[in-house]
Amino acid sequence: MTTSAIDNSQRTAARVVGFLYLFTNATAIFAFSVRGKLIAARDAAQTATNILASERLFRIAIAAELVTVVGVLVLVWGLYVILRPVDRNVVWLATF
């Protein structure tokens, strides 16, 4: 079994992936908790009232969700870069 040296791009991608894993989890938890406080189950009128009462918070939660999506896309790319030397077909399978 041969081992290859870790490339600098892999090392950088691993650092980015580690940071993004924590960052996207934090933004997703924030967005879900805000949305959970504003949305009333089975009461559309109360939900609309809650959203109108704290519209800025609702918009920040939507922005956090979009940041999460972009972060996850970059995270998947980073995982591809890290795992590409192992086996390209397995990496594509794991990605999708």
Side-chain angles (χ1 to χ4, degrees), residues 61-85:
I62 290 174
E65 196 67 41
L66 292 174
V67 167
T68 301
V69 169
V70 171
V72 167
L73 290 175
V74 175
L75 189 141
V76 168
W77 169 79
L79 286 174
Y80 174 78
V81 169
I82 293 168
L83 297 173
R84 181 178 48 211

Side-chain angles (χ1 to χ4, degrees), residues 27-58:
T27 55
I29 289 169
F30 169 75
F32 285 134
S33 66
V34 167
R35 201 173 359 173
K37 291 178 182 176
L38 295 178
I39 295 176
R42 297 186 179 139
D43 193 359
Q46 184 62 40
T47 299
T49 303
N50 292 346
I51 291 172
L52 288 175
S54 45
E55 185 176 345
R56 177 173 287 168
L57 185 62
F58 187 71

